[in-house]
């Protein structure tokens, strides 16, 4: 087995893989970007009252004997405890004057949470592991295959490993394994490439790509009795298109009698897509205030309260976007391992068992099973790599209430309508045209999207975005996505989403022909074909 393994990603999958590898005799280092502690989407915050507040993963439940044994061990060790609040579904009122309806979930399966936030669960997994905290492994240059067959991880220092595990997903994970960065990892890169959206795109059997949605998490503090007790303590929200989850952290953490309670609201994927803003550009902005207000209004609608009954009584709040939140499909293999190049992947998007969904359990099982494969004689054989009709497949997953909906959200209020465009003589726009343009803009349509050509193959998306924003007149970049060939090679193309059509127009004028890392960029408006 490999003697020294580098794990990139300190969430549940990465920590589970590292712990099992340690037990089996390997030397392991975990690289994690979290500033305070590892955990990823299973981390928690310490609120102003010094009580914990869970802002992503909320509870753990076991569907397999292996994970059930872990939960029993952690409960006996005092890291986690059973949830004792009222768990259920909350049906939002169908009409004004009706009450929200709570229905208990009573399936006989115990749920667990950390004794001091989900961070306690993570702390138990991370104990004794060499976790390098607040470490950013650059996507374009952080992973290299050396001539002698070893892997090198480059951050502020350089680290040599016999094998690598990619234990996170999203654009950065895909960039780590691009041919320009990690030449041999083409097959793994094909699986790590990701699409984002609230609705799962149709794909033929044996084909497709990982798809993730984006979800907003809002922590908000209220006087204790503002929200009625009849709504339950932790609920999946039904019938409110902006909201999917609402829970009271005070109930979890023995603070029922405190004068204020901290609640967690998790948005729908549709809401996340319609209002998506870069997290690093969110805090303190008008967009943050507007998004928080819209989610609080959704809480009022879901609970049958009047406008302002919640939003005007909030004492403090904290908004966060989980840009790569919940997988909408899964690769039907528990893990991926490329034996020839000693690199693999683990995560909640990898599972051969439909019953575990995209959950904490799925992530843990994936990490453990990858570690056991790597440490066995079977490590000489690749596992789970094949993509296509003769190999593996992406299949829809039960996203725990956070999956697709048929309803479409209206455009976000802060997105201005496109600036007036002169209409040539003899041609008139209908009265509906401004509305349709605003909708296209909110959906990432023609007005605000650009294509950048002649992009250097070894550039990173973050680099290109920073370069654009440094050029006068090119502010307002909301996302940058590189495009790739089927074999994973970069095409030298990038699709850029701007905050408005007016900013996109300015950017074309300022950036077209400007050099970037020795190549002249070509900037074009995204004008999709029309039938």
């Amino acid at each position: 087995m490999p003697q020294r393994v580098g794990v990139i990603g300190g969430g549940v999958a990465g920590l589970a893989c590292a712990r099992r590898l340690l037990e089996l005799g390997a030397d392991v280092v975990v690289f994690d970007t979290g500033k305070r502690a590892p955990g990823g989407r299973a981390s928690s915050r310490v609120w102003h009252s010094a009580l914990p507040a869970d802002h992503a993963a909320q509870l753990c439940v076991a569907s397999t004997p292996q994970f059930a044994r872990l939960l029993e061990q952690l409960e006996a060790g005092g890291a986690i405890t059973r949830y004792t609040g009222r768990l259920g579904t909350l049906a939002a009122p169908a009409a004004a004057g009706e009450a929200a309806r709570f229905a208990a979930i009573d399936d006989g399966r115990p749920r667990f949470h950390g004794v001091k936030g989900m961070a306690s669960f993570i702390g138990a997994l991370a104990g004794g592991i060499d976790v390098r905290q607040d470490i950013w492994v650059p996507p374009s240059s952080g992973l290299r295959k050396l001539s002698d067959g070893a892997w090198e991880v480059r951050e502020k220092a350089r680290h040599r490993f016999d094998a690598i595990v990619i234990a996170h997903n999203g654009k950065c994970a895909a960039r780590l394994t691009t041919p320009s960065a990690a030449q041999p990892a083409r097959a793994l890169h094909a699986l790590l490439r990701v699409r984002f959206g609230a609705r799962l795109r149709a794909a033929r059997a044996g084909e497709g790509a990982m798809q993730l949605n984006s979800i907003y998490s809002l922590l908000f503090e209220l006087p204790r009795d503002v929200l009625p007790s009849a709504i339950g303590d932790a609920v999946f929200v039904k019938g409110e298109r902006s909201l999917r989850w609402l829970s009271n952290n005070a109930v979890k953490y023995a603070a029922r009698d405190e004068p204020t309670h901290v609640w967690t609201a998790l948005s729908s994927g549709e809401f996340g897509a319609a209002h998506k803003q870069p997290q690093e550009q969110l805090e303190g902005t008008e967009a943050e205030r507007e998004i928080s207000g819209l989610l609080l209004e959704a809480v009022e609608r879901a609970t049958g309260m009047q406008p302002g009954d919640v939003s005007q009584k909030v004492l403090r709040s904290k908004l966060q976007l989980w840009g790569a939140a919940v997988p909408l499909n899964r690769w039907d293999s528990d893990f991926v391992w490329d034996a020839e190049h000693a690199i693999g992947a683990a995560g909640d998007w990898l599972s051969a068992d439909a019953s575990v969904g995209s959950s904490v359990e799925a992530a843990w099982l994936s990490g453990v099973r990858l570690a056991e494969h790597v440490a066995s004689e079977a490590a000489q054989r690749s596992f789970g790599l094949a993509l296509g009709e003769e190999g593996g497949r992406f299949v829809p997953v039960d996203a725990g209430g956070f999956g697709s909906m048929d309803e479409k959200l209206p455009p976000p209020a802060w997105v201005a309508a496109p600036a007036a465009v002169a209409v040539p003589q003899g041609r008139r726009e209908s009265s509906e045209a401004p509305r349709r343009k605003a909708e296209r803009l909110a959906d990432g349509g023609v007005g605000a999207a650009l294509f950048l050509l002649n992009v250097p193959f070894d550039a990173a998306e973050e680099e290109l975005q920073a370069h654009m924003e440094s050029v006068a007149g090119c502010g307002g970049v909301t996302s940058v996505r590189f495009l790739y060939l089927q074999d994973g090679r970069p095409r030298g193309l990038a699709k850029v989403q701007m905050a408005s059509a007016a900013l996109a127009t300015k950017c074309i004028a300022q950036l077209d022909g400007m050099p970037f890392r020795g190549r002249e960029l070509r900037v074009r408006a995204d004008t999709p074909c029309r039938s």
Side-chain angles (χ1 to χ4, degrees):
M1 66 175 285
Q3 293 304 302
R4 185 167 169 80
V5 182
V7 178
I8 302 176
V12 172
L15 295 174
C17 185
R19 173 163 293 282
R20 187 65 180 130
L21 283 170
L22 281 172
E23 293 170 349
L24 295 169
D27 180 16
V28 186
V29 176
V30 176
F31 299 94
D32 185 64
T33 59
K35 296 189 185 321
R36 296 180 299 273
R41 289 167 291 157
S43 59
S44 55
R45 294 183 180 275
V46 177
W47 198 248
H48 298 272
S49 58
L51 291 172
D54 293 325
H55 58 145
Q58 299 287 307
L59 299 167
C60 295
V61 61
S63 299
T64 61
Q66 194 173 6
F67 193 60
R69 287 193 294 272
L70 172 74
L71 296 182
E72 290 173 2
Q73 293 166 4
L74 295 181
E75 183 184 23
I80 65 174
T81 187
R82 299 190 180 214
Y83 182 70
T84 59
R86 293 166 298 159
L87 173 69
T89 61
L90 184 70
E98 294 184 3
R101 300 183 306 279
F102 171 79
I105 294 175
D106 187 15
D107 56 10
R109 302 168 69 195
R111 270 78 175 175
F112 295 85
H113 58 86
V115 294
K116 294 182 179 179
M118 291 301 290
S120 295
F121 172 79
I122 293 298
L125 291 185
I129 299 174
D130 182 0
V131 179
R132 309 290 173 87
Q133 207 61 51
D134 195 12
I135 295 295
W136 174 250
V137 179
S140 60
S141 60
L143 186 62
R144 285 282 185 270
K145 187 72 168 176
L146 303 178
S147 59
D148 62 0
W151 284 100
E152 183 179 70
V153 172
R154 301 180 179 182
E155 35 99 17
K156 295 176 183 177
R158 297 188 179 192
H159 312 267
R160 182 186 175 92
F161 297 101
D162 302 313
I164 290 292
V165 170
I166 307 293
H168 71 113
N169 54 29
K171 292 181 180 178
C172 290
R175 285 288 295 159
L176 276 170
T177 55
T178 54
S180 62
Q183 186 67 29
R186 292 176 183 271
L188 180 59
H189 172 72
L191 296 178
L192 288 172
R193 290 167 58 190
V194 62
R195 296 170 177 166
F196 291 89
R199 294 178 178 84
L200 187 61
R201 301 185 189 183
R204 292 179 293 178
E207 297 181 355
M210 184 198 320
Q211 186 166 329
L212 303 170
N213 64 16
S214 299
I215 288 175
Y216 274 105
S217 169
L218 180 67
L219 296 175
F220 59 100
E221 184 176 0
L222 292 170
R224 180 173 59 203
D225 297 325
V226 169
L227 286 174
S229 61
I231 68 169
D233 301 316
V235 292
F236 292 97
V237 178
K238 308 293 184 182
E240 169 46 56
R241 58 187 181 180
S242 298
L243 195 65
R244 286 292 168 273
W245 174 264
L246 186 63
S247 65
N248 189 340
N249 290 280
V251 170
K252 277 185 179 180
Y253 301 116
R256 290 177 183 267
D257 297 330
E258 291 294 317
T260 64
H261 287 179
V262 179
W263 290 78
T264 299
L266 299 178
S267 81
S268 66
E270 281 77 8
F271 184 93
H275 301 271
K276 191 171 182 178
Q277 293 281 305
Q279 177 65 32
E280 63 275 9
Q281 299 174 14
L282 190 61
E283 189 168 0
T285 65
E286 181 60 33
E288 179 188 39
R289 290 186 287 273
E290 178 125 17
I291 295 166
S292 299
L294 291 172
L295 282 174
L296 291 171
E297 290 172 6
V299 171
E300 291 167 345
R301 292 192 298 269
T303 56
M305 302 185 72
Q306 295 300 310
D309 283 353
V310 174
S311 57
Q312 294 180 12
K313 297 177 182 177
V314 170
L315 304 174
R316 298 183 184 91
S317 66
K318 175 66 178 178
L319 181 70
Q320 177 168 343
L321 174 70
W322 292 103
V326 180
L328 299 183
N329 55 5
R330 61 182 171 85
W331 182 246
D332 65 347
S333 170
D334 290 323
F335 57 88
V336 174
W337 176 247
D338 182 340
E340 181 181 358
H341 303 111
I343 187 169
D348 61 349
W349 60 280
L350 289 157
S351 176
D353 186 348
S355 68
V356 301
S358 53
S359 62
V360 171
E361 179 176 20
W364 184 84
L365 288 169
S366 178
V368 168
R369 289 170 179 170
L370 172 57
E372 291 174 345
H373 181 85
V374 170
S376 70
E377 293 182 2
Q380 302 304 313
R381 300 192 303 273
S382 294
F383 186 89
L385 270 179
L387 174 64
E389 294 184 4
E390 300 303 319
R393 59 184 181 142
F394 281 101
V395 295
V397 70
D398 179 0
F402 292 90
S404 300
M405 283 185 66
D406 293 331
E407 292 183 283
K408 186 174 181 60
L409 290 173
W414 76 83
V415 175
V421 178
V423 180
Q425 284 188 336
R427 175 178 154 218
R428 288 183 176 271
E429 291 197 30
S430 74
S431 59
E432 288 289 290
R435 178 186 63 79
R436 289 197 299 268
K437 285 182 180 178
E439 288 176 351
R440 288 201 304 271
L441 175 59
D443 291 339
V446 58
L450 301 173
F451 273 117
L452 271 63
L453 296 76
N454 205 31
V455 177
F457 290 159
D458 60 346
E461 291 170 343
E462 297 84 359
E463 287 181 86
L464 180 57
Q465 181 166 344
H467 174 72
M468 293 181 67
E469 292 173 341
S470 70
V471 176
C474 290
V477 179
T478 62
S479 68
V480 174
R481 178 168 63 88
F482 286 173
L483 306 181
Y484 299 91
L485 298 170
Q486 283 294 104
D487 62 1
R489 289 180 296 161
R491 296 172 58 186
L493 297 176
K495 186 170 184 179
V496 176
Q497 186 68 37
M498 306 296 292
S500 72
L503 288 171
T505 301
K506 288 182 180 180
C507 194
I508 292 173
Q510 297 296 325
L511 199 65
D512 188 38
M514 179 173 286
F516 171 56
R517 295 184 56 177
R519 303 181 73 169
E520 288 188 358
L521 294 174
R522 294 289 179 259
V523 187
R524 304 288 183 264
D526 176 14
T527 53
C529 297
R530 299 182 184 278
S531 57

